[in-house]
Amino acid sequence: MSALEIAREAQSKTNCFITISDDAPERRHREGALAGVPYAAKDNFCTRGIRTTCASRALENFIPPYSATVIERLEAAGAVLVGKANLDEFAMGSSGDTSYFGPTLNPRDPALSPGGSSSGSAAAVAIGAVPFALGSDTGGSVRQPAYFCGVYGFKPSYGAISRYGMVAFSSSLDTVGIIGKDVEIIQTVLDVLAAPDPHDATCVGLPSIPIKPHEALRVGVADGVLALSERAIHAYAVLSYAEAASNLARYDGLRYGHGNAFGWEVRRRIELGLAATERELEEARSVRDAVQRAFDEAFSQYDLLTMPVSPGGAPPAGVCPPFADQYTAPASLAGLPALACPDGTQIIGKRYHDRQVLAAALG
Amino acid sequence: MQVFDAKSARMRYNPLMDDLPNALREDRVEPSLSREEALENATGVRDGFFCAPREESIPEEPIPEEPTP
């Protein structure tokens, strides 16, 4: 079967795609680190000539006139985009249910939630349609669905990968994430993508840091971070909703033709974000600093930290548990690299030690 | 939100504020989208500009209902 036929079959079983790129075979490349490797991109990455909906009615017919930097870099490395993956609307959600194009099904068990918001990216990798997929991770949106679907999900250090052309949700937290069937493919994709980009002033790439051998690694549990995790999730909500309210103001109804085209979850977050007071924001920024210092303290003893990806396994389909981001939001607030493994373990590294995190998972 | 002792903490706006305090660079002209490309997604175009409906003529769209659990 061709990559497109495999993608169509995956779509019929899980609704993991919003758009399948019918011209993918024509764009097949034979050179580069990812020559001929098919991949999916979450539908919040701009793709020139291919519609980019963010799973929202507001952008139902939006065809970007340019591609995100990550899409261009993957194409230059020979990878072939087979489809735009389903997601929670504007990447807001932890279950895949808020998509205007219908929920994604978990390929492991359709009765269970696939997680979110990168639900389609995780499902497409888990069902074997593509070996890797791009997602976006603001508070856990790559790690949590990867775990629920039984694959690897990596959130790099904040600033490692360009976000130019990725539709903004919460700018101080958003990162490009990589979901892969194994750690090796994530390493290859990270090497292709992690480089400074003049189009994104927050992108610094990854410095070259020696990787410690496995036996020399000190791995521990960050008790100080875990103690703060409930406060962290509240701080995460205040900051991300306030930033979302600002970022989504651009869909004002004039340029995209809809005034009220957002679904209920996006509206809820915008309205809560607009209601945040300066005192709440200051408190949230203080908690963010406390989380950062708790991580610094833990990293004075350890090279890597472990914690669960999620408070529980995948809930029943259609259920979004409260505190779903409790163990993923801390690394987002501190901008640290974090890998979710299929067994539910999360490995967190020091900032810019992304390759160390991946090397440790390989064992 | 729970009360938190903010006295000892400072405001943290983003993870890069220590590494990247400023990201200014020299201005330089680079190729950009053409006007036609920039207007490709406009719902209406006239003389190279976006056409927007007059405020009183924007139809009220229904607000989606929150799903019941």
Side-chain angles (χ1 to χ4, degrees):
Chain A
M1 274 207 297
S2 73
L4 272 185
E5 286 165 345
I6 295 170
R8 287 197 194 98
E9 193 178 325
Q11 168 62 12
S12 69
K13 286 179 179 161
T14 64
N15 195 30
C16 59
F17 291 108
I18 290 175
T19 304
I20 290 178
S21 328
D22 289 324
D23 65 341
E26 295 155 30
R27 292 182 285 105
R28 191 159 171 192
H29 295 264
R30 301 197 184 277
E31 286 176 25
L34 292 162
V37 177
Y39 77 101
K42 190 172 180 177
D43 206 19
N44 59 352
F45 288 95
C46 285
T47 42
R48 184 181 166 80
I50 302 171
R51 76 171 176 158
T52 298
T53 67
C54 291
S56 179
R57 188 162 75 90
L59 296 179
E60 192 178 358
N61 300 308
F62 173 54
I63 298 177
Y66 70 103
S67 286
T69 298
V70 286
I71 300 289
E72 291 194 339
R73 289 208 171 129
L74 286 173
E75 195 175 319
V80 185
L81 179 71
V82 296
K84 302 297 294 292
N86 206 348
L87 66 154
D88 278 297
E89 185 178 0
F90 281 100
M92 296 181 187
S94 304
S95 60
D97 292 324
T98 68
S99 169
Y100 176 63
F101 299 89
T104 305
L105 300 184
N106 188 330
R108 294 171 82 197
D109 181 351
L112 296 178
S113 168
S117 66
S118 307
S119 44
S121 300
V125 173
I127 202 170
V130 286
F132 79 94
L134 291 182
S136 62
D137 192 311
T138 305
S141 278
V142 150
R143 289 163 281 165
Q144 188 244 33
Y147 162 45
F148 286 0
C149 291
V151 291
Y152 289 90
F154 182 60
K155 181 202 98 70
S157 296
Y158 183 85
I161 297 180
S162 168
R163 302 180 295 175
Y164 177 70
M166 185 179 97
V167 176
F169 159 16
S170 173
S171 302
S172 80
L173 295 153
D174 288 343
T175 57
V176 175
I178 307 161
I179 294 176
K181 67 181 173 58
D182 53 41
V183 176
E184 288 89 341
I185 188 87
I186 294 177
Q187 286 177 317
T188 307
V189 176
L190 180 69
D191 286 340
V192 168
L193 297 182
D197 178 11
H199 287 129
D200 178 357
T202 63
C203 177
V204 292
L206 280 178
S208 182
I209 296 171
I211 292 172
K212 280 193 176 183
H214 208 60
E215 54 279 4
L217 282 175
R218 297 163 302 165
V219 182
V221 175
D223 294 326
V225 178
L226 289 172
L228 277 170
S229 66
E230 273 191 45
R231 283 174 182 148
I233 190 69
H234 287 291
Y236 165 78
V238 170
L239 294 171
S240 68
Y241 295 3
E243 291 181 18
S246 173
N247 272 326
L248 270 65
R250 71 191 66 170
Y251 306 105
D252 51 13
L254 297 184
R255 277 160 288 190
Y256 295 93
H258 292 292
N260 255 332
F262 293 142
W264 61 272
E265 177 66 19
V266 175
R267 295 183 65 88
R268 185 181 78 84
R269 295 195 190 198
I270 291 172
E271 284 167 19
L272 285 172
L274 291 171
T277 64
E278 186 56 28
R279 183 160 178 271
E280 284 173 322
L281 288 167
E282 282 182 6
E283 204 162 89
R285 290 182 195 123
S286 304
V287 173
R288 185 173 202 167
D289 193 61
V291 170
Q292 174 76 61
R293 283 183 293 124
F295 271 118
D296 290 345
E297 166 90 25
F299 282 127
S300 67
Q301 282 181 277
Y302 302 113
D303 299 304
L304 296 170
L305 302 169
T306 60
M307 62 172 77
V309 177
S310 164
V319 174
C320 180
F323 302 108
D325 300 332
Q326 183 172 345
Y327 296 128
T328 46
S332 297
L333 288 166
L336 303 175
L339 176 74
C341 302
D343 65 359
T345 309
Q346 185 180 194
I347 306 171
I348 301 175
K350 297 174 187 170
R351 186 168 310 136
Y352 307 133
H353 288 232
D354 299 46
R355 293 185 176 98
Q356 179 75 72
V357 171
L358 296 174
L362 274 178
Chain B
M1 196 168 151
Q2 289 170 279
V3 176
F4 176 75
D5 175 20
K7 282 182 194 138
S8 62
R10 61 184 187 133
M11 299 292 106
R12 180 162 286 276
Y13 292 88
N14 70 63
L16 286 178
M17 56 188 269
D18 298 326
D19 305 1
L20 197 67
N22 211 334
L24 297 179
R25 59 165 172 76
E26 291 299 313
D27 282 342
R28 56 178 184 268
V29 178
E30 288 184 2
S32 179
L33 293 179
S34 66
R35 179 180 276 194
E36 290 71 29
E37 286 171 317
L39 288 166
E40 270 171 8
N41 284 280
T43 47
V45 174
R46 192 164 65 202
D47 303 331
F49 291 95
F50 284 97
C51 274
R54 287 181 190 281
E55 199 175 335
E56 65 266 26
S57 67
I58 297 175
E60 274 288 309
E61 293 188 45
I63 295 173
E65 280 180 26
E66 184 162 345
T68 45

